Amino acid sequence: MDSKVAEQIIGVLEGEYPDAKCGLNFSTPFELLTATVLSAQCTDKRVNEVTRELFKVASAPSDFAGMDYAELEKRIFSCGFYRNKARSIIDASRVLLAEYGGRVPDDFDALLKLPGVGRKTANVVMANAFNGNNIAVDTHVFRTARRLGLAGAATPEKVEYELCAVIPEGKRALAHHLLIRHGRVRCKSRRPLCGGCPLAGYCLYTKEISEKETPL
């Protein structure tokens, strides 16, 4: 896609969702890292409910490093995949204490080396905790970007690269939030609300549906 068209799409989304921002509640980079790990296959609403209580008990690497896996599993059970998530959070905390003085590094490659941290999590932390020009690709961004023609690749990582190629650096973090909001509010996985969508003129999905419904 042409970068000018991509900017137009982002502009329309900015008008539709002027309050778009990170849906996870956090006060430190480590809290965001923890919340993002918990958010895998889980809603932001549920994660915020869990972290509201969790962060009262533990909110820093030093709090989690000595915690028993079973204890954390109980506290995050409702987020799903609680065993893997508990191990990732505790193991990452230990690495942060041992190698970074208990601070979350503001470096993408360093974040990727932490247990349980993939590209999506690292991008979320870089963009929202350190004001980086990163765009994280979750299921909503992946689906919405492909439908709008902003990207066409078959994997989240390749979609990330395609988005970075057409979206200006200063808009990438915001674009992540805008595409997520659009995916949740209108461009849903099942039964997207295409009628009246301000991006219908750009949307490949809408065009495809229209062509199928047009009689020969």
Side-chain angles (χ1 to χ4, degrees), residues 200 202-214:
Y202 299 95
C203 184
L204 300 180
Y205 180 84
T206 300
K207 181 180 180 181
E208 179 183 348
I209 296 300
S210 178
E211 289 176 348
K212 287 181 179 180
E213 295 178 348
T214 301

Side-chain angles (χ1 to χ4, degrees), residues 1 3 160-168 172:
M1 172 177 284
S3 59
E160 177 192 330
Y161 295 144
E162 290 183 337
L163 290 175
C164 286
V166 296
I167 297 175
R172 289 174 190 168

Side-chain angles (χ1 to χ4, degrees), residues 15 21 32 44 61 69 123 136-137 170-171 173 180:
K21 61 180 182 179
L32 177 59
D44 288 352
Y69 292 116
N123 277 319
V137 178
K171 292 285 186 178
I180 286 179

Side-chain angles (χ1 to χ4, degrees), residues 6-201:
E7 288 187 56
Q8 292 172 6
I9 290 175
I10 298 304
V12 172
L13 290 174
E14 284 188 81
E16 286 293 302
Y17 314 108
D19 61 339
K21 61 180 182 179
C22 182
L24 297 171
N25 296 332
F26 68 98
S27 58
T28 67
F30 179 75
E31 287 188 356
L32 177 59
L33 175 65
T34 301
T36 307
V37 169
L38 292 175
S39 71
Q41 302 297 314
C42 185
T43 65
D44 288 352
K45 179 180 179 181
R46 172 63 66 182
V47 172
N48 288 335
E49 291 173 352
V50 169
T51 57
R52 183 173 61 245
E53 299 304 317
L54 176 63
F55 291 158
K56 293 177 182 178
V57 177
S59 61
S62 56
D63 298 324
F64 287 99
M67 187 179 292
D68 183 73
Y69 292 116
E71 178 185 351
L72 183 54
E73 288 171 6
K74 292 178 181 178
R75 295 184 182 279
I76 65 173
F77 178 83
S78 63
C79 287
F81 300 98
Y82 57 94
R83 288 194 177 91
N84 288 338
K85 292 178 181 179
R87 185 165 296 277
S88 293
I89 293 169
I90 291 175
D91 290 354
S93 296
R94 292 171 177 170
V95 172
L96 290 174
L97 285 174
E99 299 183 15
Y100 299 98
R103 298 177 65 86
V104 175
D106 58 350
D107 178 82
F108 183 79
D109 292 330
L111 287 170
L112 285 180
K113 294 178 182 179
L114 296 175
V117 175
R119 294 191 67 86
K120 189 201 83 169
T121 297
N123 277 319
V124 168
V125 173
M126 287 299 301
N128 296 284
F130 300 118
N131 298 314
N133 297 314
N134 301 65
I135 182 165
V137 178
D138 66 356
T139 56
H140 296 294
V141 174
F142 183 78
R143 177 181 69 254
T144 307
R146 283 163 49 87
R147 284 179 175 176
L148 290 172
L150 289 168
T155 67
E157 183 172 351
K158 290 182 178 180
V159 165
E160 177 192 330
Y161 295 144
E162 290 183 337
L163 290 175
C164 286
V166 296
I167 297 175
E169 285 190 9
K171 292 285 186 178
R172 289 174 190 168
L174 175 61
H176 164 76
H177 302 311
L178 292 171
L179 290 170
I180 286 179
R181 179 70 71 85
H182 191 62
R184 287 174 175 166
V185 173
R186 185 178 288 275
C187 196
K188 303 179 181 182
S189 178
R190 298 181 181 180
R191 299 181 181 179
L193 306 177
C194 299
C197 178
L199 293 175

